[in-house]
Amino acid sequence: MNDYLRIACQQVREDIVTMIHHAGSGHPGGSLSAVELLVALYQGGVLKHDASNPAWDGRDRFILSKGHVAPVLYSVLARSGYFSVDELSTLRELGSILQGHPHMECTPGLDCSSGSLGQGLSIANGLAMAFKKRSLSNRVYCLMGDGELQEGQIWEAAMTSAHFKLDNLCAIVDYNHVQLDGTTEEIKDLGDLQMKWASFGFHVIDIDGHQMEEVLGAYAEAMTVKGKPSVIIANTVKGKGVSFMENKCEWHGQAPNAGQWLAALTEILS
Amino acid sequence: MNKVPMRDGYGQALLKLIEKNNNVIAMDADVSKSTRTEWVRKKYPDNFINMGISEQDMLGTAAGLALGGMIPFATTYCVFLAGRAWDQIRTTVCYNQLNVKLAGAHAGISVGPDGATHQSLEDVALMRVLPHMTVIVPCDAIETEKATIAIADREGPCFIRFGREAVPVITNLETEFQIGKANVMRGGTDVVLFANGGMVHEGLQAAERLAKEGIELKVVNLHTVKPLDVESVILFALQTGAVVTAEEHQIHGGMGSAVAECLIQHAPVPMQIVGIRDTLGESGKPEQLMNKYGLSVEDICDAVRKVNRKKGEAR
């Protein structure tokens, strides 16, 4: 299983640099840091979903709060069978099913549009509440960026998750320490994230977000928690897998040129 | 005349809606006693969610509830709903055409002593500009109840706004209410007044005053700002040849702007807009504020006289 997932991650990384290169714009850094988190979710048996029936009511939901990393989600959805892999090359083009930021009415498999940072956890809370009110066992997952935690609405939402005891909710922080203008420490320090989420009433799971075993273990642990929401703090590397992109804020939102694209592919495949 | 706060109509409607449909959820941001969603908490606690003082989070949560098959009514003071949570409404609710209902209470200048921070004078403009949004400004408690029930049945994002003060009840159970359909409240041939909210009653009073001067004012309740009843707006403008609008809102971007946009394209006639003239408000008693900020019966009369004279000059 893990070999299969390792290869899947490699494939998704290829897709990310290729589609952003073709598009000429996009966000490779944060897409590459979230690869294991999404591959585990969609292809590691964590998320209940059915690519042949994207509107299945019994599916779990995934909200990509950091909507700018759409490429990683598009690749995972395509590789899961929601639409043809060929579509990936149309990213950000006029009329494409793959908008620059996720639009649920365009892309099969998307559970919500996103792109204005800070809103995803609130939406995930609402879904989790709806499932509880309807006595359904569906779970909700929400991936946030670390820079995104500077948005106040995230913490309003965190209070909501805990107050309403949303144990069918699993929040994930892609903790790669880099945002557009610099490191999170330079721009606005997030402080002790573990303590912050714990004090807000979350069950906190701290992992290496690139170790598949740890990622799968974290999702499994979150499912066992009762009476409170969980958050996985995934320690990751921005631009993971492409050495010249790693930990560089310049690669937050920049497309690789032809030479950089080939160099990236060579590294990913080696 | 019997006076009732419009929010009472809102609260009554929510109770009726929930009685029929358990998926209706009343949400509030810690002002439930004022907005009357407290009535839901008391009678149907499972259908009430108090989000605390976090309007942006409330809108996001409402979006999630809608995605999960519920019909949430996100309710709070109008300025904190339409203003503070605008991006959440735009990018999550409207972009996804989610079935979220927005109710802005304590709208307008007549909210009074709390002052400018709590006087929502821009919300109609903010909501009207959003794609997919329905915008309704009812004129009394009965119409508020009907409008609330109507937006629950209408798929997609809908916004309704109402003031705090008790206002005269000028419609009855038989008065027709249809989203997007203007209601003629009084016939008249010289000038047509399009009014909404509490200004409809002011308009009827103005019509009586003007009749004594020999000016016959047609008074139309334009409760739906979007979608605008383009047909009626054009028809009445052409019939009378002069238009006045009156609303408890900034003159920029509100119902008057909507009417002007329509008329300039289809039936340009002399027009006057009665509303707040590009300023924030201040503390005061509701009636004092309505007078100071140009929303009195006499202000409407002045606008009608002015536009009626212009009509004569144009001919």
Side-chain angles (χ1 to χ4, degrees), chain A residues 14 24 34 64 74 81 101 107 132 141 155 157 187 196 202 209 213 219 222 232 236 238-239 246 251 254-255:
Chain A
E14 281 178 58
L64 183 67
Y74 292 159
H101 290 76
T107 314
K132 280 191 178 283
Y141 296 84
W155 303 101
I187 304 302
K196 275 202 170 83
F202 276 69
E213 299 257 332
Y219 285 133
I232 297 170
T236 58
K238 189 119 169 176
E246 288 186 358
W251 287 101
Q254 181 188 311

Side-chain angles (χ1 to χ4, degrees), chain A residues 61 99 101-105 111-113 116 119 122-123 125-127 129-131 133-134 153 156-157 160 164, chain B residues 25 46 49-51 54-57 60-61 63-65 67-70 87-88 91-92 95-98:
Chain A
R61 307 299 165 94
Q99 294 291 295
H101 290 76
H103 184 198
M104 64 183 277
E105 295 197 338
D111 289 323
C112 192
S113 305
S116 179
Q119 300 192 21
S122 299
I123 300 164
N125 283 337
L127 272 163
M129 282 181 187
F131 292 141
K133 284 190 182 295
R134 293 166 62 199
Q153 189 185 343
E156 296 178 10
T160 299
F164 292 97
Chain B
I25 306 285
D46 290 344
I49 300 173
N50 200 328
M51 294 299 298
S54 51
E55 294 79 12
Q56 299 164 66
D57 184 37
T61 308
L65 283 164
L67 283 167
M70 302 285 166
D87 180 36
Q88 286 74 8
T91 307
T92 299
Y95 193 30
N96 297 322
Q97 301 188 50
L98 296 180

Side-chain angles (χ1 to χ4, degrees), chain B residues 78-79 106-109 111 118-123 161 248-249:
Chain B
C78 198
V79 69
H106 290 37
I109 193 107
V111 64
H118 284 56
Q119 294 162 349
S120 186
L121 308 177
E122 302 80 17
D123 51 286
R161 62 109 80 165
E248 210 179 319
H249 185 275

